[in-house]
Amino acid sequence: MAVAALVSGCLAAGPSVHAAAARAVTSGQALPATAAAPPIKDCDPGGLNTGDQQIAHRLDGTLRPGGAMGTRITPYQVSCARMVVRTIKDLWRLERRAAVIAITTAIVESHVQNLDGGTGSSVGVFQQTDIWGPREDRLDVERSTDLFIDAMLRMFPGGAWKNRPIGEVCQAVQRSGFPQRYQPEVPDAEKIVTALGIY
């Protein structure tokens, strides 16, 4: 397994495990048993680009200590964020706030990774379960973003999502058992969306 994929995959287990995994990889040690995480799938069928690497480098160390992302983001995670935000802007023609809502959700649900697994039937960047649709759609970042945005617009008709707290919108769509986890991640989502330069 490539080092980038190995370290990125361990993010799903949280920042402390990610740090342990990074130390193990660079030192040649075995990964801790708690680092087990679902495999990750490509977010962009075309793979990473140089922009993903540059954005990850610029954001390195700027994200919130103690947040779901830790203080860093990998080029792979940038590629996932790029696909989500590009779908929202180009296909849905929605304003920047919609992208921040989606990235906030992705930070909490998957650490912005296209996970081929999760709790129960959950998969993908948004960890959508079987009720969201076919597995292949939920593992396709563009399609899973469509599902997320469609649900958001139905739950908040008339643009109500524009005026509600972002964490509240995320929770309404996801129906998480941990509703308090979304709002603290908004500042990092804002940074990621800004760094992508899509808006």
Side-chain angles (χ1 to χ4, degrees):
M1 181 182 292
V3 170
L6 178 60
V7 172
S8 181
C10 290
L11 285 170
S16 61
V17 170
H18 167 254
R23 286 194 301 272
V25 168
T26 55
S27 67
Q29 299 171 356
L31 285 172
T34 54
I40 59 173
K41 298 283 191 180
D42 287 340
C43 288
D44 182 349
L48 304 182
N49 61 40
T50 55
D52 298 331
Q53 296 167 351
Q54 292 165 356
I55 291 167
H57 180 72
R58 285 202 307 273
L59 285 172
D60 194 27
T62 69
L63 301 181
R64 186 172 63 93
M69 297 293 291
T71 59
R72 67 187 300 271
I73 187 170
T74 67
Y76 166 76
Q77 290 167 306
V78 171
S79 76
C80 295
R82 170 170 53 80
M83 293 295 291
V84 170
V85 174
R86 183 66 70 191
T87 300
I88 292 168
K89 184 174 188 289
D90 292 354
L91 299 184
W92 285 88
R93 309 259 183 222
L94 294 176
E95 63 190 61
R96 183 179 184 278
R97 183 180 177 85
V100 174
I101 291 167
I103 295 301
T104 298
T105 304
I107 288 172
V108 172
E109 298 295 342
S110 67
H111 299 101
V112 201
Q113 299 176 106
N114 195 15
L115 299 177
D116 190 7
T119 303
S121 61
S122 299
V123 294
V125 171
F126 299 105
Q127 286 292 280
Q128 293 157 326
T129 60
D130 287 345
I131 62 170
W132 287 84
R135 182 182 180 87
E136 57 269 25
D137 286 353
R138 293 177 283 135
L139 282 169
D140 179 301
V141 176
E142 184 177 296
R143 183 64 187 129
S144 66
T145 302
D146 287 341
L147 294 169
F148 179 87
I149 293 296
D150 181 66
M152 182 186 80
L153 296 178
R154 283 187 288 104
M155 289 180 176
F156 294 92
W161 57 272
K162 299 177 183 179
N163 303 310
R164 303 285 281 275
I166 286 176
E168 183 180 316
V169 178
C170 299
Q171 171 60 20
V173 176
Q174 295 296 108
R175 301 178 184 178
S176 169
F178 304 95
Q180 73 283 358
R181 292 184 178 176
Y182 297 106
Q183 193 64 36
E185 304 303 334
V186 172
D188 280 351
E190 293 268 12
K191 287 181 181 178
I192 292 167
V193 171
T194 298
L196 287 169
I198 293 171
Y199 281 91

